[in-house]
Amino acid sequence: MTQTSPDTDSAAARHSVRAHRRPPSLAVTACFEFALTTAMLFTVVTAARWMAGPGSPFSELLATQQSRLVVMGLLVGSVVTAVLGPSMRRETAGHLNPAVSIGLWLLRVFPGRAVLPFVVAQLAGSVCGVALARLVWGDAAAAVGDAALAPGPGWGAGAVFLAEAGSMAVIMLVVAWFGTRPALLRRLPPVVGGCVAAVIIFLGPLSGGGGNPARQLGPALVSGTTGLLWVYLLAPVAGSLVAGAVRALVRRRR
């Protein structure tokens, strides 16, 4: 008769617990999305305040727009990476982006019934995060426009829409590629974080580099800069629609 060691029994028990553990409910995961998006937007406004706000000791060090975008891109990319890894393991989503939730639904890896609660939680978190940052930093947050996005000179609504939609489409196609290959799945968090950082750094001076409706809704509403808000809300969703259509076409051809 084969005997097992206590360590083997313990490992088997842990595996059994994980196998039978229920994933969190939709209400719990939506609350996670709200809290995480609130924290992300608070972090973004706080970073903008300390990079370029009045009285900041870093304003001379980060005197150029590009230097600030590099810091912001690395910061937000790191946040996305740090959130996505544990969220994937715990099945708590961690999308932080309505376009991502919609895109994952179109890619058939996210339930349709969860899309609306997630989108509402993310957009509400965006407003709450910026409002909290304004409450904490006051006029210093207002001085940097509450980190609201704005296009570069000569960039109108059409060009911004194409750039924002295109960046989101690329990110969702990257997610589809890595997410459907088990050997690559563990690399998805840093890859997505790197993509987000690249969008901010390279598209920031041009389209604003948002790629996320939640990134702009709170800053735009709190600061009152709502001129191109519809573009920043709809373009990333359009990009997810394009990615979903491309993925469906590839699937049919296979």
Side-chain angles (χ1 to χ4, degrees):
M1 180 176 178
T2 303
Q3 293 184 348
T4 59
S5 69
D7 290 342
T8 302
D9 290 340
S10 177
R14 289 195 299 269
H15 176 75
S16 177
V17 169
R18 286 195 298 267
H20 292 87
R21 184 176 59 192
R22 291 184 178 181
S25 67
L26 175 57
V28 170
T29 52
C31 287
F32 268 112
E33 285 296 308
F34 171 78
L36 290 171
T37 309
T38 298
M40 184 182 72
L41 267 295
F42 177 82
T43 301
V44 166
V45 178
T46 298
R49 178 262 178 274
W50 286 107
M51 283 192 293
S56 170
F58 306 106
S59 58
E60 292 186 6
L61 179 64
L62 301 171
T64 65
Q65 180 193 33
Q66 193 59 48
S67 64
R68 294 192 292 269
L69 286 172
V70 168
V71 172
M72 185 68 80
L74 295 176
L75 174 63
V76 176
S78 298
V79 169
V80 170
T81 301
V83 166
L84 186 56
S87 296
M88 287 173 58
R89 292 192 295 271
R90 299 170 185 170
E91 299 182 54
T92 52
H95 299 168
L96 305 175
N97 186 335
V100 169
S101 298
I102 293 171
L104 292 176
W105 168 58
L106 293 171
L107 295 174
R108 301 180 183 179
V109 296
F110 190 64
R113 65 185 182 85
V115 172
L116 182 59
F118 266 49
V119 170
V120 171
Q122 291 151 352
L123 295 179
S126 170
V127 176
C128 288
V130 179
L132 179 61
R134 174 68 81 90
L135 180 65
V136 171
W137 304 119
D139 292 341
V144 295
D146 298 293
L149 301 173
W155 279 69
V160 173
F161 192 100
L162 290 176
E164 295 289 301
S167 64
M168 193 68 241
V170 170
I171 290 176
M172 291 310 303
L173 289 173
V174 168
V175 169
W177 176 266
F178 278 77
T180 55
R181 288 160 174 79
L184 300 177
L185 188 59
R186 63 185 179 85
R187 300 179 184 175
L188 184 60
V191 169
V192 173
C195 289
V196 171
V199 168
I200 294 172
I201 293 170
F202 296 109
L203 286 183
L206 305 175
S207 68
N212 182 350
R215 169 62 183 86
Q216 179 70 342
L217 179 65
L221 292 182
V222 174
S223 67
T225 55
T226 58
L228 287 180
L229 178 58
W230 68 273
V231 175
Y232 290 108
L233 293 180
L234 297 182
V237 176
S240 289
L241 293 174
V242 170
V246 170
R247 179 63 180 168
L249 179 61
V250 171
R251 188 184 293 113
R252 282 198 298 270
R253 288 187 173 182
R254 287 180 177 176

